[in-house]
Amino acid sequence: MLSSLFPHPFPRHPGTGLLLPRRVCSSRTDRLTDRRGGKPYIQPKREIPPEEQITLEPELEQALANATDAEMCDIAAILGMYTLMSNKQYYDALCSGEICNTEGISSVVQPDKYKPVPDEPPNPTNIEEILKRVQSNDKELEEVNLNNIQDIPIPKLTELCEAMKTNTHVQSLSLVATKSGDPIANAVADMLRENRSLQSLNIESNFISSTGLMAVLKAVRENATLTELRVDNQRQWPGDAVEMEMATVLEQCPSIVRFGYHFTQQGPRARAAQAMTRNNELRRQQKKR
């Protein structure tokens, strides 16, 4: 009784009880035969109103009809239609007098080719030889670069800082990415209190904590010859107190004119920028005298 009123959506064979194949409407796609019912949709052509039609000279009409995609891309760049191309194609078309985009507008969806950058060669500096030259106060040695040498023993770096206390010729010391920690930072701080010839110090990309940075910054106050100090990209963020101390050091040390550190707080950043501007102005006035 109910089955006659509400037929089942999946009809079954009365004898076997198996599902019977459903009928497919003629307007749907038959996946097996790929036949479609009905007529395909054809978009009607839109007629341009007379007030929107643009009439060009015959020479321009012929030139645009025969123009290639590359020429059309350069014309779009000249007209300021930068949305049709990438930034590189846009500026190349403006800065160059020749057609730079040889692929046309279809190349916009393609990314620029990646130019591989070769790795830097290993640092050939011999730490034993450099240490002997620093200890002997060699006149020809003005720069000590130990960047990216990560297997230097801590005692060797400590001996180097100890020898730098009495050296009068080395003007630049760079210890970037040498895995230096707080013991090396304390040795550098002791060296800054006695050295009077060093002008540039770079200890970026190391494992120095906020305690080591504070020791170096306090020693900078007692050094009047250092003009450049770089301490950025340490393993951990030093904190707000150290950033405030950096700004205070720059305000109290008129000799420092270049300082390498990315401040995270607005207050110390503004104070450091003002101090650097003042120090550079003082240096400029001293050179005039």
Side-chain angles (χ1 to χ4, degrees), residues 31-43:
R31 296 183 179 179
L32 299 178
T33 59
D34 196 16
R35 292 180 298 178
R36 295 178 181 270
K39 297 180 180 179
Y41 173 76
I42 301 177
Q43 185 177 3

Side-chain angles (χ1 to χ4, degrees), residues 94 184 192:
L94 292 182
I184 305 302
L192 290 176

Side-chain angles (χ1 to χ4, degrees), residues 12-41:
R12 296 179 178 272
H13 192 274
T16 61
L18 300 177
L19 292 176
L20 297 176
R22 298 181 60 186
R23 290 186 177 182
V24 180
C25 182
S26 60
S27 62
R28 296 184 178 180
T29 304
D30 189 350
R31 296 183 179 179
L32 299 178
T33 59
D34 196 16
R35 292 180 298 178
R36 295 178 181 270
K39 297 180 180 179
Y41 173 76

Side-chain angles (χ1 to χ4, degrees), residues 58-77:
E59 297 179 355
L60 294 177
E61 289 282 358
Q62 184 179 2
L64 292 177
N66 299 329
T68 61
D69 289 344
E71 294 173 345
M72 294 296 293
C73 188
D74 274 20
I75 292 175

Side-chain angles (χ1 to χ4, degrees), residues 151-281:
D151 56 349
I152 303 177
I154 294 179
K156 291 295 181 181
L157 291 176
T158 305
E159 291 180 14
L160 178 64
C161 295
E162 188 69 24
M164 284 291 298
K165 293 181 179 180
T166 57
N167 190 282
T168 58
H169 298 286
V170 176
Q171 299 180 2
S172 175
L173 176 61
S174 184
L175 303 176
V176 178
T178 55
K179 294 185 178 180
S180 299
D182 287 348
I184 305 302
N186 295 328
V188 170
D190 295 338
M191 178 266 297
L192 290 176
R193 294 188 179 93
E194 300 184 18
N195 185 277
R196 293 298 178 266
S197 63
L198 190 65
Q199 298 180 6
S200 176
L201 175 62
N202 192 344
I203 54 175
E204 292 181 342
S205 303
N206 283 303
F207 300 156
I208 302 175
S209 65
S210 58
T211 305
L213 289 179
M214 290 287 289
V216 174
L217 293 172
K218 291 179 179 178
V220 171
R221 296 176 178 176
E222 305 176 18
N223 190 297
T225 60
L226 192 68
T227 60
E228 180 180 3
L229 177 62
R230 300 185 179 276
V231 296
D232 199 11
N233 194 28
Q234 299 301 326
R235 188 174 186 178
Q236 62 181 3
W237 177 57
D240 297 339
V242 178
E243 289 191 353
M244 295 297 294
E245 185 69 20
M246 291 179 183
T248 304
V249 168
L250 294 178
E251 293 173 347
Q252 298 177 356
C253 298
S255 62
I256 298 181
V257 296
R258 290 184 295 272
F259 185 70
Y261 180 78
H262 179 71
F263 289 92
T264 58
Q265 302 296 327
Q266 179 64 26
R269 186 188 304 115
R271 291 176 54 189
Q274 295 177 359
M276 294 298 295
T277 302
R278 184 200 61 186
N279 294 350
N280 281 276
E281 181 65 19

